[in-house]
Amino acid sequence: MRVKAQFSMTFNLEKCIGCNTCTVACKNVWTNREGAEYMWWNNVETKPGIGYPKRWEDQELWRGGWVKKGNGLGLRYGGKPYMLLNLFFNPHVPEMADYYGNDVYTFTYDDLHTTKQLTQQPMARPKSMVTEKEDIPITWGVNWEDNAGGAHVTGKYDVNFQGISKEEHEAYLRLRDVFYFYVPRICNHCVNPACVAACPSGAAYKREEDGIVLIDQTRCRNWRYCISACPYKKPYYNWVSGKMEKCILCFPRVEAGMPPVCFHSCVGKIRSFGVILYDMDRVQEAALAEDRDLVRAQREIILDPFDQKVIEGARESGIGDDWIDAAQRSPVYKLVKKWELALPLHPEFRTMPMLFYLPPLSPMMTSAGQDSPGDTDIFDMAQTKGMLADLDELDKLRVPMKYLASLMAAGNEEEVKKSLMRQLAVRHYQRSIRVEGKPNVDVLKKVGLTEEDAQGIVRGISLAFYNERFVVPTTKREAADISPYIERGFAGLVGMGPSTSLKRRRSYFKSHHTPEKKYE
């Protein structure tokens, strides 16, 4: 067992209101500059829809992530020979049209600061960044599908409808049966990042001490293979600097013990941030699991921070007691491992993302076409046994189980059902206390929860204070290990090979008498 520490996150889709405060906060802090206009390290998508960039989930088109090849994994994109063939023309990179639409545009912001006397309120008009023509039509943007706008058009390309019949698919895009919910997205800072594996120059790397995935701006040669290999399409090309950029998880804040700015600014308080400990030796085994077992396999490599053997292993790996304490208080560990509520986004990409989502409960379907007593309107909700849907009525929820399973569980509906049933059981439990004055423990037993679990869930996702949602230990840079993955002296497909004769120091902070060590 080789214990590693990793910053990880959960987003509660049950509470996301799609306000995009997180998006604006990130934009103003990190990408409010020339060359980064189209970059949205944080964005909020409406599902169903094709997202930003267009159709990012369709790996038949973009060839991102990993696939099983024999007894191991290989990049879906292809090997080194295929990369060399596409070195100067990569067919699997989104074009600017996939981000902007027909024209690359900005807005006439200077109009908002004019001192001239105007007859009407000034406004920023769309302006082409190519031709500088003003008042151009806008045909796509980062939140183009906001609140299901255009779902009847783009929804037919949403890959999460696979497994759903054509008739059902069409019905879900009509007014009566339509559904939607919000999915905020940032870089997942994966345990097995495809972007790092695909980078020919070794500029993309994963930090040993906390798992944050970064791109070395000095070493980057803008090959853009990180864009192709990332199935979530979260690296971006800066056309001014000629470098690749991506979410850095606000590491200057995180190192000082503060959460990333998008977490801090979240109005709905849907985000949790903390440390988990995982077994590095079992990562390959988990990544090679069958599709329906990927969620379970990823949970299994997450270690119990209270286990004495895990604590000893963490200390042997150089993880300090303050980080172990943070892992024990981590809200992410509880939501992902202990209560099994949060699920990874598209685990079938096999990058093992460290951002997990609580799937949303939803209103009941409309009652039109169903046998129910009395006259019913087309927009009436289906009849339920009580005020809340019962545990055996999940099939009546408006958001299809198959859709959620495709989005968060590689098609395994049981994982989604377990999460939704536990969320619903906690609601029944809370209502029994407040309305009936007597706790309904039986409903918790049906889903494998105790009263202590239910109270912890309520606290964690509804009532948690700032220090409970964000458990961020400070980084000790003097203790950070130098590894082959973050070495600045040399990197890339050749320099990091197993047969290299180059040597490296274990640490820049130890004595110069410390013996150097070759790659293992």
Side-chain angles (χ1 to χ4, degrees):
M1 179 174 63
R2 186 153 50 110
V3 182
K4 302 291 290 184
Q6 166 87 40
F7 280 124
S8 55
M9 309 144 274
T10 61
F11 290 177
N12 184 2
L13 301 187
E14 179 71 8
K15 296 171 64 179
C16 181
I17 61 175
C19 65
N20 276 281
T21 305
C22 51
T23 304
V24 175
C26 177
K27 190 66 177 174
N28 279 290
V29 172
W30 295 115
T31 59
N32 189 16
R33 51 195 160 79
E34 190 178 15
E37 295 89 347
Y38 79 105
M39 295 184 195
W40 299 90
W41 293 358
N42 182 110
N43 70 296
V44 181
E45 298 178 0
T46 300
K47 293 294 183 184
I50 57 176
Y52 185 85
K54 296 176 182 176
R55 301 174 66 180
W56 64 267
E57 295 166 285
D58 188 354
Q59 302 314 322
E60 295 300 320
L61 175 65
W62 301 123
R63 301 180 71 167
W66 301 87
V67 291
K68 293 173 69 173
K69 292 184 177 179
N71 296 324
L73 291 176
L75 290 173
R76 187 188 297 271
Y77 185 92
K80 296 176 186 177
Y82 188 70
M83 286 186 177
L84 288 172
L85 285 174
N86 297 331
L87 199 60
F88 300 106
F89 176 74
N90 188 346
H92 307 296
V93 173
E95 297 179 356
M96 198 55 69
D98 295 307
Y99 297 98
Y100 271 119
N102 292 340
D103 203 339
V104 181
Y105 58 85
T106 184
F107 295 89
T108 56
Y109 295 113
D110 290 343
D111 291 352
L112 302 177
H113 305 284
T114 182
T115 58
K116 298 179 180 178
Q117 281 293 112
L118 300 175
T119 57
Q120 64 181 35
Q121 183 74 18
M123 61 178 293
R125 293 165 291 119
K127 177 181 179 179
S128 170
M129 297 178 67
V130 180
T131 65
E132 297 190 357
K133 184 178 179 180
E134 298 183 358
D135 296 319
I136 62 171
I138 299 177
T139 57
W140 197 259
V142 66
N143 62 341
W144 192 258
E145 300 167 304
D146 192 31
N147 290 354
H152 62 291
V153 177
T154 62
K156 61 185 177 181
Y157 298 108
D158 189 335
V159 298
N160 297 300
F161 280 114
Q162 58 187 338
I164 297 177
S165 69
K166 183 178 179 181
E167 292 74 17
E168 286 181 295
H169 187 172
E170 292 177 352
Y172 286 130
L173 301 178
R174 295 174 184 165
L175 176 61
R176 182 175 70 83
D177 291 320
V178 74
F179 67 91
Y180 73 86
F181 58 94
Y182 304 109
V183 180
R185 294 205 304 122
I186 64 173
C187 171
N188 295 286
H189 296 275
C190 308
V191 169
N192 184 32
C195 60
V196 172
C199 181
S201 58
Y205 64 98
K206 184 174 178 66
R207 299 208 305 190
E208 287 282 297
E209 62 267 29
D210 53 22
I212 296 176
V213 178
L214 300 173
I215 297 176
D216 183 347
Q217 296 293 286
T218 302
R219 189 163 300 280
C220 178
R221 295 295 179 267
N222 64 281
W223 297 120
R224 311 187 200 187
Y225 285 121
C226 55
I227 303 179
S228 300
C230 174
Y232 306 99
K233 294 296 172 280
K234 277 302 175 181
Y236 298 87
Y237 172 65
N238 186 311
W239 53 269
V240 171
S241 67
K243 304 291 185 179
M244 305 306 303
E245 297 184 12
K246 62 178 289 297
C247 162
I248 61 174
L249 205 60
C250 291
F251 73 82
R253 289 175 55 91
V254 169
E255 289 180 356
M258 297 183 289
V261 68
C262 61
F263 286 71
H264 186 279
S265 63
C266 178
V267 172
K269 299 181 179 179
I270 75 164
R271 304 183 178 216
S272 298
F273 189 88
V275 175
I276 63 164
L277 304 177
Y278 69 93
D279 186 356
M280 185 67 177
D281 290 337
R282 297 185 62 190
V283 168
Q284 183 177 8
E285 173 191 343
L288 286 169
E290 296 300 322
D291 281 1
R292 68 172 291 102
D293 297 326
L294 283 169
V295 174
R296 175 192 54 78
Q298 186 165 351
R299 284 201 181 114
E300 286 181 351
I301 69 168
I302 298 176
L303 302 173
D304 181 358
F306 296 96
D307 187 323
Q308 194 59 40
K309 290 184 179 179
V310 173
I311 294 174
E312 292 173 1
R315 287 171 177 163
E316 289 176 4
S317 298
I319 301 172
D321 287 347
D322 55 340
W323 278 63
I324 296 173
D325 174 68
Q328 293 173 343
R329 295 184 292 115
S330 172
V332 179
Y333 171 80
K334 297 173 185 175
L335 291 169
V336 176
K337 177 81 171 183
K338 183 178 181 181
W339 301 320
E340 298 186 354
L341 294 178
L343 303 167
L345 186 65
H346 287 296
E348 71 273 15
F349 297 159
R350 301 181 186 274
T351 60
M352 305 192 70
M354 283 291 104
L355 169 53
F356 302 87
Y357 294 84
L358 275 70
L361 288 165
S362 59
M364 308 301 287
M365 293 186 293
T366 53
S367 61
Q370 301 181 19
D371 296 328
S372 55
D375 296 331
T376 61
D377 184 80
I378 191 172
F379 296 113
D380 286 343
M381 294 296 106
Q383 297 295 317
T384 61
K385 298 176 182 178
M387 181 64 65
L388 295 172
D390 208 345
L391 298 184
D392 59 359
E393 296 180 307
L394 290 181
D395 59 328
K396 293 183 179 180
L397 295 179
R398 181 175 287 268
V399 180
M401 194 74 66
K402 285 185 178 179
Y403 188 93
L404 292 175
S406 175
L407 188 69
M408 303 179 196
N412 189 345
E413 295 182 37
E414 293 304 313
E415 292 291 351
V416 177
K417 187 177 180 180
K418 181 197 298 183
S419 177
L420 294 179
M421 287 183 68
R422 288 188 170 185
Q423 292 183 59
L424 194 55
V426 171
R427 287 194 177 191
H428 278 281
Y429 170 76
Q430 284 296 108
R431 187 175 188 276
S432 68
I433 294 175
R434 295 179 178 275
V435 177
E436 300 166 11
K438 181 181 178 181
N440 182 0
V441 181
D442 292 336
V443 73
L444 297 178
K445 291 181 180 178
K446 288 181 181 179
V447 295
L449 294 176
T450 64
E451 283 194 86
E452 182 182 2
D453 290 332
Q455 292 163 4
I457 291 172
V458 172
R459 182 74 190 178
I461 66 178
S462 299
L463 305 175
F465 290 129
Y466 181 95
N467 63 315
E468 295 172 297
R469 289 187 290 125
F470 309 132
V471 182
V472 192
T474 56
T475 299
K476 296 179 175 61
R477 297 254 38 102
E478 69 277 6
D481 186 32
I482 305 298
S483 80
Y485 305 105
I486 58 174
E487 175 63 65
R488 291 295 180 276
F490 48 92
L493 299 177
V494 178
M496 292 177 63
S499 60
T500 180
S501 60
L502 295 171
K503 299 178 180 180
R504 54 177 282 268
R505 295 173 65 95
R506 289 293 296 175
S507 171
Y508 288 129
F509 301 100
K510 294 180 181 178
S511 168
H512 67 277
H513 296 296
T514 303
E516 296 177 335
K517 183 179 180 181
K518 292 185 178 182
Y519 283 111
E520 297 177 354

